[in-house]
Structures are given as structure tokens and as C-alpha cells.
Amino acid sequence: QSNKNQLIMKIKNLILISAVMLIFTSCKYEEGPTVSLRSKEERLCNEWKIDKKLTNGVENTLTEAELQTIVEFKKGGDYSITVPILGVYVVFNGTWEFYDNKEKIITTYEANVLGTNVMQKDTSKILRLMEKELWLEGKDSTDIVEIHYIPY
């Protein structure tokens, strides 16, 4: 009976250790965090503003429009980006979804800008996803663009 109880206890400990390892390894992004108690969706869903932009690893001076741009990810997959165009704030509404084992995010939106229909679909690699930091990397023609966001 004693050996049977020890075996059951070892199996329970193994299951517990495996579950803990699964939780800790599922939170990793290239730039962190290693561990988080908040889900990826909870950390992503927020209003964000651009803090820094790098093109091919070189930091760019943010334009006035970039400084005023607001990106919002909402629970359930709604997405909006508010940008100043010719002195007027224009809101583009769309959707977002995690992709590639939640290591990437796809954003899609459609809008009518000055009589022209615009449809945009972007895939960005998540480099860092924390409650107060979001770093995304994407391609702009041949350039690699990394954008660091902070809460608005």
C-alpha cells in the first residue's frame, strides 16, 4: 500500500511540474516577458500610442501624425486605429487575431478615405507583450519596421 501511495504521489508531482513548465514556456516572446500571470489577450487589449519606431534597427524620429496615432485592441477581436489625416482624426475599424501560436498578430481593416476604399491586412511578429509595453515587428516593402507602443 505504501509503495502504491508513493507512486501516486510521484505521478501527481510529475503532472504538477509539467503543468507549471507548460505555463512558463507558453509566455515567451523574443523580448519578454518570460512569465506573466495575465493572458496574452489581457495584456494586448488596451489603447496604445507609439513610443519608438525603428527601421532596419535604426531609430526614427516620430512624425507628428505617428505621435498622435492611437491603436486599440479590444477583447473579442475588434481593432481600431485613429490617425490624423489633413488635420482631421480618422478612425479605421477592423479586427485582430493571434496567429502562429500567438507569436504573431493579424490586423485587418477597411475604410473609405477621401472617396477611395482602403483595405489593409497586416501580420506583425510580437517581440514583447507586457501590460505596459507592446513591441511589434513587420515589413514595409523591403524594410523591417519595429514599433514600440506604450499605453495611451
Side-chain angles (χ1 to χ4, degrees):
Q1 185 69 12
S2 174
N3 285 342
K4 185 177 178 183
N5 287 340
Q6 285 179 340
L7 180 60
I8 291 172
M9 195 60 145
K10 284 181 181 180
I11 291 172
K12 285 181 179 180
N13 285 339
L14 183 61
I15 292 170
L16 179 63
I17 290 169
S18 298
V20 169
M21 288 179 64
L22 179 64
I23 290 169
F24 285 126
T25 58
S26 69
C27 296
K28 291 187 181 178
Y29 288 112
E30 202 169 293
E31 297 293 333
T34 304
V35 177
S36 177
L37 298 177
R38 297 182 73 212
S39 74
K40 291 172 176 137
E41 182 176 13
E42 286 175 327
R43 285 178 276 151
L44 179 68
C45 291
N46 200 352
E47 283 186 311
W48 301 94
K49 64 181 181 176
I50 299 173
D51 183 48
K52 185 189 288 188
K53 179 179 173 185
L54 297 96
T55 304
N56 298 321
V58 177
E59 187 172 348
N60 306 115
T61 301
L62 295 174
T63 66
E64 196 59 38
E66 289 169 332
L67 288 168
Q68 296 176 38
T69 297
I70 302 166
V71 176
E72 183 175 16
F73 295 93
K74 297 177 185 171
K75 289 186 183 206
D78 288 333
Y79 166 81
S80 69
I81 181 166
T82 304
V83 293
I85 298 176
L86 302 173
V88 177
Y89 284 94
V90 179
V91 179
F92 300 94
N93 291 304
T95 59
W96 71 269
E97 64 182 297
F98 284 119
Y99 172 70
D100 197 13
N101 199 29
K102 296 187 178 182
E103 292 186 20
K104 296 180 182 170
I105 189 166
I106 298 173
T107 55
T108 307
Y109 63 84
E110 284 186 66
N112 188 310
V113 180
L114 305 173
T116 303
N117 278 339
V118 176
M119 200 257 187
Q120 185 74 31
K121 183 174 185 174
D122 295 308
T123 300
S124 301
K125 181 179 180 182
I126 302 169
L127 300 177
R128 185 175 185 91
L129 177 55
M130 299 180 72
E131 185 176 355
K132 304 229 182 255
E133 289 181 282
L134 170 63
W135 297 4
L136 299 177
E137 179 184 86
K139 280 202 162 226
D140 184 13
S141 62
T142 59
D143 294 324
I144 295 174
V145 178
E146 184 176 317
I147 300 179
H148 297 191
Y149 295 92
I150 57 175
Y152 178 74

